[in-house]
Amino acid sequence: MADQDQAELRMSAAKLRQEHEDYDAAINAMITVGCDALRIQRMKKKKLAIKDKLTKVEDQIIPDIIA
């Protein structure tokens, strides 16, 4: 994989990690305030989708090596 592609994947992974952390903080704040349970559930679903994207990007950065 080219260095440019590798750098782009790492940047994308960093953005997704930050977005995941932001959702986590928002969800915790919503729970503390006592927000609607349905709204919290939707946020958790979005957070999980971001985590899935992050996993796919990380798998591209570090491919499985069959030993």
Side-chain angles (χ1 to χ4, degrees), residues 28-40:
N28 289 334
M30 290 170 75
I31 291 171
T32 303
V33 171
C35 199
D36 181 30
L38 181 60
R39 222 178 202 171
I40 294 170

Side-chain angles (χ1 to χ4, degrees), residues 5-66:
D5 294 338
Q6 190 82 357
E8 287 176 10
L9 286 174
R10 289 186 190 280
M11 184 64 100
S12 178
K15 285 170 125 178
L16 288 170
R17 267 189 222 100
Q18 183 61 49
E19 192 173 351
H20 187 264
E21 290 174 12
D22 291 346
Y23 268 97
D24 193 40
I27 289 168
N28 289 334
M30 290 170 75
I31 291 171
T32 303
V33 171
C35 199
D36 181 30
L38 181 60
R39 222 178 202 171
I40 294 170
Q41 192 64 29
R42 287 179 181 157
M43 292 287 281
K44 286 182 177 181
K45 192 172 183 178
K46 288 179 184 179
K47 180 182 159 190
L48 183 59
I50 292 168
K51 183 67 173 179
D52 289 343
K53 288 179 187 178
L54 177 59
T55 302
K56 287 179 184 179
V57 170
E58 287 175 342
D59 285 346
Q60 289 178 344
I61 294 171
I62 306 170
D64 290 338
I65 299 173
I66 300 173

